[in-house]
């Protein structure tokens, strides 16, 4: 049964359960609602929760676990296919999944039966002819071994889906029955519903934590695989980045320091652009602008935060880079040879970060109590003196936190670096030279059909782990500064 149909069935039976719960509660007191412990709607909601939530939990877990178990089972046949061939498990599994999807399509739209698909007599020509008639092109390089593995994959998937449907429906009916049995005038439905809602809210709050743990786990597994093939000391302390993929000759030098240097250098230039402009804009909006000007200017400024980063990258490549070449190029002072440089990416990234700094700083400055300003004015200070000596010192911890959060945003930027800074990994103090960052190299290392068992590809996960802890450290530092030095006002 398709997952969408299963979800619709759950929703429909949950709705029926809600109505049955309400009516059963009212029948238990012969229509005298005042005799119930809770309102009738609570009884209906309780039945709905016990009907839908366990079913959705099992459905979600099944959809996550089933593909992993099936692919683990197929690994043995993949091993036999890959023996003696210059192919990788990942590419073979991709072919198997592709053919299995074609087999599923042949069942649903091509008129072929499940027995025909799972028959050992099915040949490649019949499959290709059927799928070509449906407009699906698999290519002629599908081997018999891949076809047999795809048949097994499709068979296990079909069986798993049937078992999933039965399990979800049985769980749903069981929950519905148990909830209806409990529904009577003495059942504390409101308390049960509140505990159920609390559990749902707790789960929703835990999603971010579980997602972070999942991301870290996936990075850690591949990072450990990389360090089994390449020295961690050479990675963290190497001064050269020169990956050499299999078949191109040479050995790889995978030192992360040039990439970290480019990342930090571009981020520093971006902050030098964003911090002064952002803070000055925040001071103007919070202290000098009239309500009408503020209502118009702040949303207009925050539009910058909604522009896609690829647009900023194109702006750096097509506008800012050539403009800087005209100013600092060989025809003038001779400092800049091309449009892709650290200063290009840093300047455009700084423009992107302005709304992050200004919006957060504006909120922090507005949080400073007006009584502090009035006291300063009462002592004879001017508005500028009040801002310098009272408002900014009081808001400084929050502003520093905003700057650190903007720095973590700059460290993780990709498209502006790719299009504006270039691809050269080097250690240099010249901001007019092309450099690259960690994020750009993660993209380049994972682009193409390279072998995921090679250190040149696995290094992308080590770079991701390094970047993860770098941004995590900046975020933790920002929270520490804000919490330790913020002023408490009543």
């Amino acid at each position: 049964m398709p997952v969408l149909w299963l979800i619709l069935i759950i929703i429909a039976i949950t709705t029926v359960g809600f109505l049955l719960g309400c009516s059963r509660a009212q029948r238990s007191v012969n229509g005298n609602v005042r005799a119930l412990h809770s309102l009738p709607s609570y009884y209906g909601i309780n039945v709905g929760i016990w009907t839908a939530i366990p079913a959705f939990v099992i459905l979600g877990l099944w959809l996550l676990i089933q593909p992993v178990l099936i692919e683990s089972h197929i690994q043995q046949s993949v091993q036999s296919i890959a023996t003696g061939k210059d192919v990788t498990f990942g590419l073979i599994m991709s072919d198997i999944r592709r053919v299995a999807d074609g087999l599923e399509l042949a069942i649903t739209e091509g008129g072929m039966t499940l027995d025909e698909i799972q028959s050992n007599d099915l040949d490649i020509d019949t499959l290709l002819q059927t799928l070509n008639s449906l407009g699906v092109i698999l290519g002629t390089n599908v081997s018999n071994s891949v076809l047999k593995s795809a048949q097994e994959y499709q068979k296990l998937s079909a069986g798993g889906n049937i078992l999933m449907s039965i399990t979800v429906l049985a769980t749903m009916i069981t929950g519905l029955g148990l909830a209806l049995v409990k529904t009577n005038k003495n059942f504390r439905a409101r308390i049960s519903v509140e505990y159920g809602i609390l559990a749902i809210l707790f789960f929703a709050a835990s999603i971010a934590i579980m997602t972070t743990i999942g991301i870290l786990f996936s990075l850690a597994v591949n990072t450990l695989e990389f360090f089994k093939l390449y020295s961690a000391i050479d990675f963290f302390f190497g001064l050269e980045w020169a990956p050499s993929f299999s078949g191109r000759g040479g050995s790889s030098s995978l030192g992360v320091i040039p990439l970290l240097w480019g990342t930090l250098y571009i981020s520093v230039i971006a902050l030098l652009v964003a911090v002064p402009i952002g803070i000055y804009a925040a001071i103007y909006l919070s202290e000098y602008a009239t309500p009408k000007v503020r209502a118009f200017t702040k949303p207009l400024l925050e539009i910058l935060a909604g522009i896609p980063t690829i647009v900023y990258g194109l702006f750096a490549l097509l506008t800012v880079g050539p403009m800087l070449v005209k100013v600092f190029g060989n025809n003038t002072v001779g400092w800049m040879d091309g449009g892709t440089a650290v200063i290009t990416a840093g300047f455009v990234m700084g423009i992107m970060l302005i709304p992050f700094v200004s919006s957060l700083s504006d909120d922090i400055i507005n949080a400073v109590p007006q009584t502090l300003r009035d006291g300063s004015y009462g002592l004879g200070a001017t508005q500028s003196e009040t801002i310098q000596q009272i408002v900014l010192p009081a808001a400084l911890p929050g502003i520093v936190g905003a700057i650190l959060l903007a720095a973590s945003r700059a460290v993780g930027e990709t498209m502006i670096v790719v299009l504006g800074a270039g691809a050269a990994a080097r250690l240099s103090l010249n901001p007019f030279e092309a450099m690259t960052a960690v994020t750009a190299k993660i993209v380049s290392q994972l682009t193409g059909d390279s072998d995921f068992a090679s250190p040149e590809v696995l290094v992308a996960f080590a770079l991701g782990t390094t970047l993860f802890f770098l941004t995590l450290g900046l975020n933790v530092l920002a929270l520490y500064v804000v919490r330790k030095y913020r002023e408490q006002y009543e």
Side-chain angles (χ1 to χ4, degrees):
M1 180 183 297
V3 176
L4 179 59
W5 290 9
L6 199 57
I7 293 175
L8 294 177
I9 291 174
I10 294 174
I11 294 174
I13 296 181
T14 301
T15 304
V16 173
F18 172 82
L19 298 176
L20 290 176
C22 294
S23 62
R24 182 178 175 84
Q26 294 181 26
R27 286 199 306 269
S28 66
V29 292
N30 296 321
N32 185 14
V33 178
R34 293 180 179 274
L36 292 173
H37 175 274
S38 307
L39 293 174
S41 59
Y42 280 106
Y43 292 91
I45 294 173
N46 180 71
V47 175
I49 288 176
W50 283 100
T51 302
I53 298 303
F56 276 121
V57 169
I58 292 178
L59 178 61
L61 292 177
W62 202 292
L63 292 176
L64 290 174
I65 296 174
Q66 176 177 296
V68 177
L69 295 179
I70 293 176
E71 292 191 11
S72 176
H73 180 78
I74 298 294
Q75 285 293 330
Q76 295 180 354
S77 59
V78 174
Q79 180 70 40
S80 63
I81 296 173
T83 302
K85 297 183 179 181
D86 187 19
V87 292
T88 63
F89 289 154
L91 294 177
I92 295 175
M93 286 303 303
S94 177
D95 289 339
I96 291 174
R97 285 191 293 267
R98 178 167 53 91
V99 177
D101 292 338
L103 295 175
E104 184 67 26
L105 185 62
I107 294 174
T108 58
E109 299 183 15
M112 298 184 70
T113 64
L114 185 62
D115 293 335
E116 290 176 340
I117 290 295
Q118 296 177 358
S119 173
N120 293 327
D121 297 330
L122 178 66
D123 60 355
I124 298 174
D125 294 334
T126 303
L127 172 65
L128 294 178
Q129 183 179 2
T130 302
L131 293 178
N132 287 338
S133 65
L134 297 173
V136 179
I137 307 299
L138 292 181
T140 58
N141 58 346
V142 179
S143 64
N144 283 315
S145 300
V146 170
L147 178 59
K148 299 302 180 185
S149 298
Q151 287 176 302
E152 181 69 15
Y153 189 99
Q154 194 278 333
K155 180 180 179 180
L156 293 173
S157 297
N161 290 337
I162 293 174
L163 185 59
M164 176 186 68
S165 301
I166 295 173
T167 304
V168 170
L169 292 175
T171 303
M172 182 172 49
I173 298 300
T174 302
L176 174 63
L178 292 176
L180 288 176
V181 168
K182 291 182 179 180
T183 302
N184 54 67
K185 63 179 182 179
N186 296 322
F187 179 64
R188 300 182 176 182
R190 180 177 58 81
I191 297 176
S192 178
V193 169
E194 289 178 351
Y195 277 116
I197 298 298
L198 180 62
I200 295 174
L201 295 176
F202 176 78
F203 174 76
S206 303
I207 289 178
I209 299 175
M210 292 187 292
T211 303
T212 303
I213 293 174
I215 292 172
L216 184 59
F217 177 76
S218 62
L219 288 175
V221 171
N222 291 283
T223 300
L224 292 177
E225 290 295 326
F226 168 72
F227 286 133
K228 291 179 182 178
L229 303 174
Y230 194 84
S231 172
I233 296 177
D234 293 339
F235 174 75
F236 288 111
F237 299 100
L239 300 179
E240 182 182 6
W241 176 266
S244 177
F245 286 91
S246 176
R248 299 184 184 179
S251 58
S252 295
S253 297
L254 302 175
V256 73
I257 290 182
L259 304 183
L260 288 177
W261 172 252
T263 301
L264 297 176
Y265 201 177
I266 295 171
S267 300
V268 168
I269 293 178
L271 292 177
L272 291 177
V273 174
V275 171
I277 298 177
I279 293 178
Y280 290 156
I283 293 173
Y284 171 76
L285 291 175
S286 60
E287 300 296 325
Y288 292 101
T290 62
K292 290 184 178 179
V293 173
R294 175 184 170 84
F296 172 78
T297 306
K298 188 173 182 179
L300 194 63
L301 182 63
E302 291 177 347
I303 289 177
L304 290 174
I307 298 176
T309 56
I310 183 63
V311 176
Y312 282 110
L314 294 174
F315 177 63
L317 180 66
L318 301 177
T319 304
V320 177
M323 180 185 67
L324 293 176
V325 169
K326 291 182 180 180
V327 177
F328 302 102
N330 293 326
N331 294 331
T332 53
V333 295
W335 292 349
M336 194 171 181
D337 295 330
T340 55
V342 172
I343 192 170
T344 303
F347 179 78
V348 176
M349 193 183 297
I351 295 175
M352 181 193 70
L353 295 178
I354 288 175
F356 291 92
V357 178
S358 64
S359 182
L360 290 174
S361 299
D362 177 54
D363 294 336
I364 293 165
I365 292 173
N366 281 325
V368 177
Q370 182 63 33
T371 54
L372 295 180
R373 299 177 176 85
D374 295 338
S376 177
Y377 296 148
L379 294 174
T382 62
Q383 185 175 13
S384 61
E385 291 173 340
T386 300
I387 294 172
Q388 294 176 17
Q389 301 178 16
I390 302 298
V391 176
L392 289 182
L396 185 60
I399 294 175
V400 172
I403 294 172
L404 292 176
L405 291 175
S408 66
R409 177 70 178 83
V411 167
E413 177 53 40
T414 303
M415 293 311 303
I416 296 177
V417 176
V418 171
L419 297 178
R426 58 163 59 98
L427 291 170
S428 174
L429 291 174
N430 187 359
F432 299 99
E433 290 184 351
M435 294 186 193
T436 191
V438 173
T439 52
K441 286 304 175 184
I442 291 176
V443 174
S444 64
Q445 297 304 113
L446 292 178
T447 301
D449 296 329
S450 303
D451 186 2
F452 267 75
S454 66
E456 291 85 1
V457 176
L458 289 175
V459 69
F461 296 95
L463 293 174
T465 303
T466 304
L467 195 65
F468 175 86
F469 283 104
L470 180 60
T471 54
L472 178 64
L474 289 173
N475 289 334
V476 171
L477 180 61
L479 293 175
Y480 172 78
V481 170
V482 171
R483 292 180 180 179
K484 183 175 178 62
Y485 296 103
R486 69 180 178 183
E487 299 289 343
Q488 298 292 338
Y489 302 109
E490 296 183 357

